[in-house]
Amino acid sequence: GAVVSQHPSWVICKSGTSVKIECRSLDFQATTMFWYRQFPKQSLMLMATSNEGSKATYEQGVEKDKFLINHASLTLSTLTVTSAHPEDSSFYICSTERGNTEAFFGQGTRLTVV
Amino acid sequence: GQNIDQPTEMTATEGAIVQINCTYQTSGFNGLFWYQQHAGEAPTFLSYNVLDGLEEKGRFSSFLSRSKGYSYLLLKELQMKDSASYLCAVRDRDYKLSFGAGTTVTVRA
């Protein structure tokens, strides 16, 4: 069964609005959650790393005020895309690890900003 | 930055064998992963290598040579459902995963 549950799978929003994406770890505690973005026919690009109870670490070029990450509990991390614009349309995926040898991904969220 | 290279596309016939190569240059090394990703879906874990050598898992095998910065994923007895993108990912010294652009494998009948 799924180890990481991500919702929603699809979302269409109007330009200027905000969208929240949730990622839950099932049956285990995820101290660290990774957030990726993937544009069509491109690779996954790490946006930020969230750690439970502390501020997220953002990769270079990712605006922390635009992509708000909250990791308030060991089973839930959220990514909020604020004031979304069409160029933010992408596939967003969360991931966590169990031990050092396996990484598990959420189902992904296809965001379309119109 | 990290540099991970893999071919863009490969085509093979059902029942055949395909080898997907991956070369990498990263700041440190803490393991190499292979993932399968179908269009519009999240990646699913296939294999993990941290020591040199071959890891076999059913129809899929993965090889690693750390000194050469090289890995390959071997898919045997190809099935139509194996048509997907295959991602090579390397974990660096900060334990961050960097992904290659993916290799799209098309299996023909």
Side-chain angles (χ1 to χ4, degrees):
Chain A
V3 175
V4 179
S5 178
Q6 182 175 345
H7 295 281
S9 300
W10 295 82
V11 58
I12 300 174
C13 71
K14 289 186 177 180
S15 194
T17 61
S18 296
V19 173
K20 180 186 279 190
I21 302 169
E22 290 189 350
C23 203
R24 294 181 184 273
S25 60
L26 309 175
D27 299 328
F28 77 102
Q29 296 176 332
T31 308
T32 302
M33 196 75 80
F34 302 93
W35 286 95
Y36 296 87
R37 180 168 53 184
Q38 186 179 34
F39 291 105
K41 297 190 186 286
Q42 294 187 24
S43 186
L44 279 77
M45 297 298 295
L46 181 65
M47 298 175 66
T49 304
S50 77
N51 293 293
E52 185 267 338
S54 63
K55 289 184 178 179
T57 303
Y58 289 81
E59 295 302 300
Q60 196 171 8
V62 179
E63 300 173 56
K64 63 177 72 174
D65 294 329
K66 181 168 181 62
F67 299 100
L68 300 178
I69 290 174
N70 185 283
H71 195 155
S73 78
L74 286 170
T75 58
L76 175 64
S77 177
T78 62
L79 167 68
T80 301
V81 183
T82 63
S83 187
H85 288 97
E87 57 265 31
D88 298 324
S89 298
S90 186
F91 192 51
Y92 292 86
I93 312 176
C94 62
S95 168
T96 190
E97 294 186 357
R98 188 165 58 188
N100 268 337
T101 61
E102 284 188 280
F104 298 95
F105 288 85
Q107 298 92 325
T109 299
R110 175 77 57 197
L111 171 64
T112 303
V113 184
V114 298
Chain B
Q2 320 295 26
N3 193 26
I4 299 171
D5 289 317
Q6 52 183 126
T8 307
E9 292 179 328
M10 301 182 78
T11 302
T13 309
E14 205 173 6
I17 298 173
V18 71
Q19 178 174 314
I20 306 170
N21 296 323
C22 172
T23 57
Y24 63 89
Q25 291 174 306
T26 55
S27 51
F29 179 82
N30 276 299
L32 185 144
F33 297 78
W34 283 96
Y35 291 90
Q36 180 190 63
Q37 186 179 27
H38 285 99
E41 297 180 12
T44 54
F45 171 80
L46 290 178
S47 69
Y48 169 74
N49 294 70
V50 68
L51 299 176
D52 290 352
L54 187 69
E55 293 282 339
E56 296 190 79
K57 236 186 202 184
R59 294 189 298 114
F60 294 175
S61 303
S62 57
F63 171 84
L64 173 68
S65 169
R66 288 171 296 171
S67 62
K68 295 181 180 176
Y70 168 71
S71 172
Y72 67 72
L73 178 70
L74 196 69
L75 314 180
K76 293 181 266 191
E77 301 168 21
L78 277 176
Q79 301 175 9
M80 299 299 287
K81 66 178 182 180
D82 297 330
S83 292
S85 182
Y86 291 84
L87 309 177
C88 173
V90 178
R91 190 159 59 192
D92 65 19
R93 63 167 169 243
D94 296 322
Y95 278 80
K96 291 181 182 177
L97 270 183
S98 294
F99 285 82
T103 299
T104 300
V105 172
T106 303
V107 181
R108 296 183 301 193

